[in-house]
Amino acid sequence: MNVPFVSFKPLEKELDSQLRAAFERVYTASWYIDGKEDKAFEEAFSTYCDSKYCVGNGNGLDALMLALKALGVGEGDEVIVPSNTYIATALAVTYTGAMPIFVEPDMRTYNIDPTKIEEKITKKTKAIMPVHLYGLPCDMDPILAIAKKYNLFVIEDCAQAHGATYKGKVIGSFGDAAGFSFYPGKNLGALGDAGATITNNKELADKVRALGNYGSDYKYHHIYKGNNSRLDELQAAFLSAKLPLMGKVNENRRATAKRYLEGITNPKIILPYVPEYAQPVWHLFAVRCAQRDQLAQYLADKGIGTNKHYPIPMHLQDCYKDLEIAQGSLPIAEEISATELSLPMYYGMTNEEIDYVIEAINAFA
Ligand SMILES: *Cc1c(COP(=O)(O)O)cnc(C)c1O
């Protein structure tokens, strides 16, 4: 049997006529940027996130960067980010001219450890960017308390957690703003690059929109030196076709995760931990194993696709050599990097496929 790491086919099959109709609608209207599809998706997505405003962007990295810029974060500032996340989180900070400051995660949740944030706060700190990694919400209450105490902005990186809830409330509006990615592989994925910023602050929403549209408030009038990062009509139309299925998509991922959690019994495998406060959406099903690379090869030989998230921690990437953070100085991020393996996880996996993965892992010696 072959079980790919990810497949879009089951969802695309189910939505085939809606996705084709979305294309037809946009092509027939012959209007491709800044139109009614974008507006309709923004409205639907802000409702889905229980947030007042949504601004479509070109991708998730831009959404995060524009939110930071709109809040005035820039040169000379510091922004706290987790030491284990996709590099886009840190790059969003770097692009504003500010400095990403890495805080180690909690070894059980893999999310930023709130007890380690305060020691990294300086006079330059402007914001905290919690990342709901792998689809698991961060412990927001202590993070928000620290932000309040030091008067810091909170920008949630929701790229992996569309629809996840923390203490019953959907993530994305705990802080000042949040960035989402609709990269095809995300839980809500476009058929290309796309992203969005959400916020409850009208002024901030307007500023993000202007910053993503050449800094323009109305046509050919530029108040900021902006970027070009808008959600195009085609992607908005595809996203609108997929959004109504998000409840079902996340339920299906939860059922797959439950089957993995109950079925995998190999003591060499450390399974993901779900704190009581969180209802995750399982963007990834991340296990850890001391013999991670052997496990990946063993599964590959059995036709099972896996991935590592992420094989090199950000502080050891060539592009961040200038930060001069030595190997060994962020041991938890390094440990996760060396031992994490993501198992197949996507909407529409069959029980036979899940069980094939479980049996293979349980037989790994
Ligand atoms: C995917 C991702 C991003 C960036 O989104 P893009 O749409 O690829 O730019 C940011 N943060 C995290 C945690 C991600 O997984």
Side-chain angles (χ1 to χ4, degrees):
M1 190 185 288
N2 260 314
V3 185
F5 172 65
V6 70
S7 169
F8 307 141
K9 279 292 158 214
L11 185 63
E12 286 173 356
K13 230 182 195 164
E14 203 165 319
L15 286 174
D16 188 71
S17 61
Q18 288 94 321
L19 290 168
R20 288 177 197 279
F23 170 78
E24 281 293 333
R25 211 163 60 232
V26 174
Y27 186 57
T28 302
S30 193
W31 187 276
Y32 302 107
I33 303 276
D34 192 16
K36 54 186 182 205
E37 295 291 344
D38 178 32
K39 191 160 279 157
F41 175 71
E42 287 178 354
E43 263 179 45
F45 194 65
S46 58
T47 301
Y48 178 75
C49 294
D50 212 357
S51 169
K52 280 195 191 140
Y53 308 100
C54 171
V55 180
N57 296 121
N59 54 67
L61 167 62
D62 286 352
L64 294 167
M65 177 196 62
L66 295 173
L68 286 164
K69 278 191 173 178
L71 288 163
V73 174
E75 196 85 38
D77 296 335
E78 293 178 354
V79 177
I80 287 174
V81 301
S83 55
N84 67 314
T85 172
Y86 183 53
I87 196 161
T89 313
L91 285 176
V93 176
T94 301
Y95 285 161
T96 68
M99 182 80 91
I101 303 294
F102 300 125
V103 168
E104 287 269 77
D106 177 295
M107 201 26 143
R108 286 201 301 174
T109 64
Y110 311 134
N111 277 331
I112 193 164
D113 184 342
T115 67
K116 292 184 183 145
I117 293 176
E118 261 185 293
E119 66 203 52
K120 294 288 181 88
I121 291 176
T122 71
K123 284 201 189 75
K124 295 179 175 175
T125 312
K126 282 283 152 59
I128 307 173
M129 271 177 81
V131 181
H132 308 297
L133 199 69
Y134 308 149
L136 178 73
C138 294
D139 192 1
M140 290 307 295
D141 282 345
I143 296 171
L144 294 168
I146 294 165
K148 193 167 177 200
K149 181 171 167 192
Y150 293 91
N151 200 19
L152 306 175
F153 296 121
V154 173
I155 299 100
E156 295 170 71
D157 181 340
C158 299
Q160 302 191 359
H162 320 67
T165 61
Y166 173 74
K167 297 188 178 172
K169 181 170 142 62
V170 69
I171 52 107
S173 39
F174 286 97
D176 298 277
F180 284 85
S181 166
F182 307 120
Y183 176 79
K186 302 292 160 90
N187 286 30
L188 176 58
L191 309 189
D193 274 317
T197 311
I198 64 166
T199 177
N200 284 322
N201 178 333
K202 167 117 182 27
E203 251 169 81
L204 193 64
D206 289 346
K207 192 163 179 189
V208 168
R209 190 179 300 285
L211 283 171
N213 189 25
Y214 294 104
S216 168
D217 51 352
Y218 58 89
K219 205 164 174 72
Y220 302 133
H221 186 258
H222 303 271
I223 42 179
Y224 315 111
K225 295 184 190 77
N227 293 74
N228 172 9
S229 188
R230 302 168 295 213
L231 178 60
D232 70 70
E233 291 286 280
L234 260 181
Q235 297 308 334
F238 292 140
L239 288 166
S240 289
K242 284 188 170 185
L243 185 60
L245 247 76
M246 274 307 283
K248 193 175 170 190
V249 164
N250 285 341
E251 256 333 296
N252 182 266
R253 286 173 177 270
R254 285 188 188 115
T256 299
K258 185 164 182 274
R259 205 170 177 93
Y260 274 148
L261 287 170
E262 288 169 359
I264 299 172
T265 52
N266 188 333
K268 286 176 176 292
I269 305 297
I270 301 169
L271 289 167
Y273 164 74
V274 181
E276 216 172 300
Y277 56 70
Q279 191 183 31
V281 290
W282 302 100
H283 172 57
L284 296 170
F285 191 90
V287 302
R288 289 198 307 116
C289 177
Q291 297 100 341
R292 188 265 312 268
D293 293 342
Q294 291 95 311
L295 176 62
Q297 187 55 53
Y298 162 88
L299 292 173
D301 292 343
K302 292 186 174 299
I304 297 169
T306 60
N307 244 312
K308 296 160 195 168
H309 297 93
Y310 297 87
I312 304 172
M314 293 175 296
H315 65 287
L316 301 178
Q317 295 283 357
D318 286 348
C319 70
Y320 274 133
K321 268 190 186 138
D322 58 334
L323 296 178
E324 295 181 345
I325 303 174
Q327 179 141 24
S329 41
L330 294 168
I332 300 180
E334 290 171 27
E335 173 73 12
I336 294 169
S337 244
T339 55
E340 191 275 349
L341 193 70
S342 300
L343 304 184
M345 172 59 82
Y346 52 87
Y347 174 79
M349 282 183 78
T350 64
N351 284 342
E352 290 69 39
E353 288 168 331
I354 302 166
D355 291 344
Y356 180 70
V357 177
I358 292 171
E359 277 158 34
I361 289 182
N362 285 342
F364 176 68

